[in-house]
Amino acid sequence: PVQLIVDEHRETQHFERTYEKEEAFDVLKEQARLDLEQDLPEGADIIGEQVLHEAVENDTVSLKIHYQVLEEITQEKPIIQGD
């Protein structure tokens, strides 16, 4: 019998960042846009962005953003007619 043991260690660093309210909203909006762009297929464009809700509770900032995205969702498929 053969046994393979992989032991992986990673270093982490904990830090706190303090933002002003408007600066925190700007950072969150930019991060949300970057996350969305990574998930979109090539050739898709974000054509609209609307902030629906902004909130700060217990030093936690939350946003609800509505994005309008233009992307090609059609696929070509051959039409096969039966007898």
mmCIF file of all heavy atoms in Angstrom, residues 26-43:
data_model
loop_
_atom_site.group_PDB
_atom_site.id
_atom_site.type_symbol
_atom_site.label_atom_id
_atom_site.label_comp_id
_atom_site.label_asym_id
_atom_site.label_seq_id
_atom_site.Cartn_x
_atom_site.Cartn_y
_atom_site.Cartn_z
ATOM 1 N N ASP A 26 -18.100 53.818 -2.395
ATOM 2 C CA ASP A 26 -17.379 53.812 -3.668
ATOM 3 C C ASP A 26 -16.556 52.541 -3.843
ATOM 4 O O ASP A 26 -16.532 51.947 -4.919
ATOM 5 C CB ASP A 26 -16.474 55.045 -3.783
ATOM 6 C CG ASP A 26 -17.261 56.340 -3.919
ATOM 7 O OD1 ASP A 26 -18.451 56.283 -4.296
ATOM 8 O OD2 ASP A 26 -16.683 57.417 -3.641
ATOM 9 N N VAL A 27 -15.893 52.105 -2.778
ATOM 10 C CA VAL A 27 -15.082 50.880 -2.841
ATOM 11 C C VAL A 27 -15.978 49.669 -3.092
ATOM 12 O O VAL A 27 -15.657 48.800 -3.913
ATOM 13 C CB VAL A 27 -14.264 50.701 -1.533
ATOM 14 C CG1 VAL A 27 -13.640 49.326 -1.461
ATOM 15 C CG2 VAL A 27 -13.200 51.778 -1.429
ATOM 16 N N LEU A 28 -17.123 49.613 -2.412
ATOM 17 C CA LEU A 28 -18.048 48.491 -2.611
ATOM 18 C C LEU A 28 -18.607 48.467 -4.030
ATOM 19 O O LEU A 28 -18.732 47.401 -4.635
ATOM 20 C CB LEU A 28 -19.200 48.574 -1.617
ATOM 21 C CG LEU A 28 -18.899 48.090 -0.210
ATOM 22 C CD1 LEU A 28 -20.098 48.326 0.698
ATOM 23 C CD2 LEU A 28 -18.541 46.625 -0.210
ATOM 24 N N LYS A 29 -18.962 49.626 -4.568
ATOM 25 C CA LYS A 29 -19.483 49.679 -5.933
ATOM 26 C C LYS A 29 -18.448 49.189 -6.931
ATOM 27 O O LYS A 29 -18.757 48.415 -7.840
ATOM 28 C CB LYS A 29 -19.905 51.106 -6.289
ATOM 29 C CG LYS A 29 -21.205 51.523 -5.669
ATOM 30 C CD LYS A 29 -21.626 52.861 -6.228
ATOM 31 C CE LYS A 29 -21.888 53.818 -5.111
ATOM 32 N NZ LYS A 29 -22.298 55.142 -5.566
ATOM 33 N N GLU A 30 -17.209 49.616 -6.756
ATOM 34 C CA GLU A 30 -16.140 49.196 -7.672
ATOM 35 C C GLU A 30 -15.879 47.693 -7.558
ATOM 36 O O GLU A 30 -15.713 47.000 -8.556
ATOM 37 C CB GLU A 30 -14.860 49.985 -7.378
ATOM 38 C CG GLU A 30 -13.725 49.671 -8.300
ATOM 39 C CD GLU A 30 -14.011 50.043 -9.748
ATOM 40 O OE1 GLU A 30 -14.770 50.998 -9.981
ATOM 41 O OE2 GLU A 30 -13.470 49.359 -10.644
ATOM 42 N N GLN A 31 -15.881 47.168 -6.332
ATOM 43 C CA GLN A 31 -15.656 45.743 -6.134
ATOM 44 C C GLN A 31 -16.793 44.915 -6.726
ATOM 45 O O GLN A 31 -16.571 43.869 -7.337
ATOM 46 C CB GLN A 31 -15.491 45.421 -4.643
ATOM 47 C CG GLN A 31 -15.102 43.994 -4.368
ATOM 48 C CD GLN A 31 -13.772 43.623 -4.980
ATOM 49 O OE1 GLN A 31 -12.810 44.374 -4.863
ATOM 50 N NE2 GLN A 31 -13.705 42.489 -5.629
ATOM 51 N N ALA A 32 -18.032 45.385 -6.566
ATOM 52 C CA ALA A 32 -19.178 44.671 -7.137
ATOM 53 C C ALA A 32 -19.089 44.654 -8.664
ATOM 54 O O ALA A 32 -19.354 43.638 -9.299
ATOM 55 C CB ALA A 32 -20.479 45.334 -6.688
ATOM 56 N N ARG A 33 -18.697 45.770 -9.265
ATOM 57 C CA ARG A 33 -18.560 45.837 -10.725
ATOM 58 C C ARG A 33 -17.462 44.884 -11.204
ATOM 59 O O ARG A 33 -17.656 44.157 -12.183
ATOM 60 C CB ARG A 33 -18.242 47.266 -11.156
ATOM 61 C CG ARG A 33 -18.062 47.415 -12.656
ATOM 62 C CD ARG A 33 -17.799 48.862 -13.033
ATOM 63 N NE ARG A 33 -19.015 49.606 -13.225
ATOM 64 C CZ ARG A 33 -19.689 49.648 -14.365
ATOM 65 N NH1 ARG A 33 -19.265 48.979 -15.392
ATOM 66 N NH2 ARG A 33 -20.785 50.350 -14.467
ATOM 67 N N LEU A 34 -16.343 44.838 -10.503
ATOM 68 C CA LEU A 34 -15.251 43.931 -10.884
ATOM 69 C C LEU A 34 -15.681 42.467 -10.766
ATOM 70 O O LEU A 34 -15.367 41.651 -11.634
ATOM 71 C CB LEU A 34 -14.012 44.191 -10.030
ATOM 72 C CG LEU A 34 -13.280 45.502 -10.282
ATOM 73 C CD1 LEU A 34 -12.160 45.689 -9.261
ATOM 74 C CD2 LEU A 34 -12.725 45.558 -11.689
ATOM 75 N N ASP A 35 -16.401 42.128 -9.695
ATOM 76 C CA ASP A 35 -16.888 40.757 -9.522
ATOM 77 C C ASP A 35 -17.841 40.371 -10.642
ATOM 78 O O ASP A 35 -17.783 39.254 -11.177
ATOM 79 C CB ASP A 35 -17.587 40.597 -8.171
ATOM 80 C CG ASP A 35 -16.616 40.626 -7.007
ATOM 81 O OD1 ASP A 35 -15.396 40.503 -7.238
ATOM 82 O OD2 ASP A 35 -17.086 40.773 -5.858
ATOM 83 N N LEU A 36 -18.736 41.289 -11.009
ATOM 84 C CA LEU A 36 -19.683 41.013 -12.088
ATOM 85 C C LEU A 36 -18.960 40.847 -13.423
ATOM 86 O O LEU A 36 -19.251 39.934 -14.190
ATOM 87 C CB LEU A 36 -20.719 42.129 -12.186
ATOM 88 C CG LEU A 36 -21.742 42.002 -13.309
ATOM 89 C CD1 LEU A 36 -22.567 40.733 -13.140
ATOM 90 C CD2 LEU A 36 -22.623 43.232 -13.356
ATOM 91 N N GLU A 37 -17.987 41.704 -13.707
ATOM 92 C CA GLU A 37 -17.248 41.622 -14.964
ATOM 93 C C GLU A 37 -16.495 40.300 -15.090
ATOM 94 O O GLU A 37 -16.352 39.769 -16.185
ATOM 95 C CB GLU A 37 -16.284 42.800 -15.100
ATOM 96 C CG GLU A 37 -16.994 44.117 -15.404
ATOM 97 C CD GLU A 37 -16.065 45.311 -15.387
ATOM 98 O OE1 GLU A 37 -14.899 45.183 -14.917
ATOM 99 O OE2 GLU A 37 -16.500 46.390 -15.832
ATOM 100 N N GLN A 38 -16.009 39.765 -13.978
ATOM 101 C CA GLN A 38 -15.309 38.483 -14.016
ATOM 102 C C GLN A 38 -16.260 37.337 -14.353
ATOM 103 O O GLN A 38 -15.861 36.359 -14.982
ATOM 104 C CB GLN A 38 -14.634 38.198 -12.672
ATOM 105 C CG GLN A 38 -13.424 39.053 -12.424
ATOM 106 C CD GLN A 38 -12.804 38.767 -11.068
ATOM 107 O OE1 GLN A 38 -13.352 38.033 -10.254
ATOM 108 N NE2 GLN A 38 -11.646 39.362 -10.814
ATOM 109 N N ASP A 39 -17.521 37.444 -13.938
ATOM 110 C CA ASP A 39 -18.490 36.376 -14.177
ATOM 111 C C ASP A 39 -19.154 36.462 -15.547
ATOM 112 O O ASP A 39 -19.753 35.488 -15.994
ATOM 113 C CB ASP A 39 -19.572 36.397 -13.096
ATOM 114 C CG ASP A 39 -19.033 36.005 -11.727
ATOM 115 O OD1 ASP A 39 -17.962 35.365 -11.686
ATOM 116 O OD2 ASP A 39 -19.674 36.331 -10.718
ATOM 117 N N LEU A 40 -19.063 37.614 -16.204
ATOM 118 C CA LEU A 40 -19.715 37.777 -17.500
ATOM 119 C C LEU A 40 -18.907 37.119 -18.609
ATOM 120 O O LEU A 40 -17.678 37.089 -18.557
ATOM 121 C CB LEU A 40 -19.870 39.262 -17.828
ATOM 122 C CG LEU A 40 -20.877 40.034 -16.989
ATOM 123 C CD1 LEU A 40 -20.852 41.510 -17.362
ATOM 124 C CD2 LEU A 40 -22.264 39.479 -17.171
ATOM 125 N N PRO A 41 -19.585 36.601 -19.629
ATOM 126 C CA PRO A 41 -18.856 36.035 -20.773
ATOM 127 C C PRO A 41 -18.202 37.142 -21.592
ATOM 128 O O PRO A 41 -18.557 38.324 -21.475
ATOM 129 C CB PRO A 41 -19.953 35.334 -21.581
ATOM 130 C CG PRO A 41 -21.210 36.002 -21.180
ATOM 131 C CD PRO A 41 -21.024 36.453 -19.766
ATOM 132 N N GLU A 42 -17.252 36.745 -22.422
ATOM 133 C CA GLU A 42 -16.545 37.709 -23.258
ATOM 134 C C GLU A 42 -17.528 38.364 -24.214
ATOM 135 O O GLU A 42 -18.407 37.723 -24.777
ATOM 136 C CB GLU A 42 -15.453 37.000 -24.052
ATOM 137 C CG GLU A 42 -14.534 37.944 -24.766
ATOM 138 C CD GLU A 42 -13.364 37.225 -25.392
ATOM 139 O OE1 GLU A 42 -12.853 36.278 -24.772
ATOM 140 O OE2 GLU A 42 -12.981 37.614 -26.499
ATOM 141 N N GLY A 43 -17.418 39.659 -24.381
ATOM 142 C CA GLY A 43 -18.296 40.394 -25.275
ATOM 143 C C GLY A 43 -19.507 40.999 -24.586
ATOM 144 O O GLY A 43 -20.243 41.768 -25.187
#
